[in-house]
Amino acid sequence: ASSFLAGRLDVPAEQVDQYHLRDFSLYQGRLYYPLGVLPAIFLLPGVAAFGLDFPQGALVLGLAASTGWLIYVIARRLNFSERDALWISAGVLIASPYPYLVLRATVFDAYLTHLLSFACLLAALAEYFGKRRWWLCGLLVGLSALSRPLTVFAVIFFWLTAWQANGAKNSAAARLASLTIPVVLAGAVVVAYNQFRFGNPLEVGYSYQLMPGEVVAARNLGLFSFQHIPGNFQRAVLNGPRIIFAEKSQ
């Protein structure tokens, strides 16, 4: 957000501490943040008004409250009772990884990308179970993709439901068009953002990310490779709990 206000797409090196350097991509001598553009836009008003030290936590907590409300709305539109809808909302906000993401997002916006994407997809579902304005569903999926690009595949659900919508006043072609156009426009923003930063419309920055050597070696095998299956299976299924003690503790 601070870089946008300064008219630049990279992040000044003096604003990145050594610990978080691994989260950035180094390209042609400049540091870039490889995640989507939406978190920076979300933070723009706060940074513009208060600078880099503004209370980011206030925005994040407001976003968390909005997410809880969206979950409640969806549950009510699915005919859950008010009590059950409140329990469902509380379950997501309290008994899931969500609180951890909220706490981390109050100080580091890498986690803010997940929260924003989740909120946008929930809002799209709330619209689907409500008025079903397809252009708005498409816009919300597109905004989610501006935070986490791979969430664009959520549009497949809306394509299928828009195609098969019963009792709709307009044609299936019109519904699909109104749904798809905002997603395409969001995709155009992502492509342009990538092109301006890395000279490649399909490069989000992960190829240049400053990661430990063993992670780079795994990445060089390919993001999607059968060679990852044995190691992933061993970690996910065969490994037991690993106890990690604090430094110098007994």
Side-chain angles (χ1 to χ4, degrees):
S2 175
S3 295
F4 284 178
L5 290 171
R8 56 193 296 177
L9 297 178
D10 63 307
V11 179
E14 60 271 17
Q15 293 182 9
V16 182
D17 60 63
Q18 191 66 30
Y19 176 78
H20 289 121
L21 192 63
R22 61 185 180 180
D23 295 303
F24 288 82
S25 301
L26 181 64
Y27 179 71
Q28 294 185 348
R30 296 185 177 186
L31 292 174
Y32 294 90
Y33 200 46
L35 298 178
V37 68
L38 186 62
I41 296 173
F42 179 76
L43 295 174
L44 271 177
V47 175
F50 303 104
L52 291 176
D53 295 325
F54 89 100
Q56 182 173 319
L59 284 178
V60 172
L61 292 176
L63 178 63
S66 300
T67 299
W69 176 77
L70 285 169
I71 296 168
Y72 171 82
V73 168
I74 293 171
R76 292 291 286 154
R77 289 177 178 176
L78 289 173
N79 297 320
F80 284 90
S81 67
E82 182 174 357
R83 185 188 66 178
D84 289 346
L86 288 172
W87 275 112
I88 292 170
S89 180
V92 174
L93 295 182
I94 299 173
S96 75
Y98 194 82
Y100 173 78
L101 294 176
V102 170
L103 290 174
R104 294 303 303 270
T106 58
V107 294
F108 190 48
D109 56 351
Y111 296 87
L112 182 58
T113 62
H114 309 307
L115 300 182
L116 284 171
S117 182
F118 185 45
C120 288
L121 293 179
L122 285 174
L125 284 175
E127 178 62 28
Y128 170 74
F129 290 117
K131 296 182 180 180
R132 292 197 181 184
R133 290 168 290 187
W134 298 107
W135 66 268
L136 184 54
C137 290
L139 176 62
L140 290 165
V141 172
L143 288 174
S144 175
L146 290 180
S147 188
R148 299 291 295 176
L150 289 182
T151 61
V152 71
F153 291 108
V155 77
I156 295 173
F157 165 80
F158 294 98
W159 277 338
L160 294 175
T161 52
W163 178 263
Q164 299 175 351
N166 295 321
K169 296 180 180 179
N170 48 7
S171 66
R175 295 193 298 271
L176 290 172
S178 63
L179 171 64
T180 304
I181 288 173
V183 178
V184 172
L185 292 176
V189 172
V190 172
V191 165
Y193 189 52
N194 294 339
Q195 179 65 35
F196 284 130
R197 294 193 301 168
F198 304 111
N200 183 342
L202 301 179
E203 176 59 67
V204 299
Y206 287 128
S207 298
Y208 306 105
Q209 195 168 7
L210 299 171
M211 299 185 296
E214 64 273 13
V215 180
V216 174
R219 183 187 64 187
N220 290 340
L221 295 176
L223 292 179
F224 303 97
S225 172
F226 289 112
Q227 296 181 73
H228 295 305
I229 292 178
N232 290 342
F233 179 80
Q234 192 267 340
R235 292 181 181 89
V237 178
L238 302 180
N239 260 10
R242 191 176 97 176
I243 300 175
I244 301 176
F245 295 100
E247 186 179 3
K248 297 182 181 180
S249 67
Q250 300 298 320

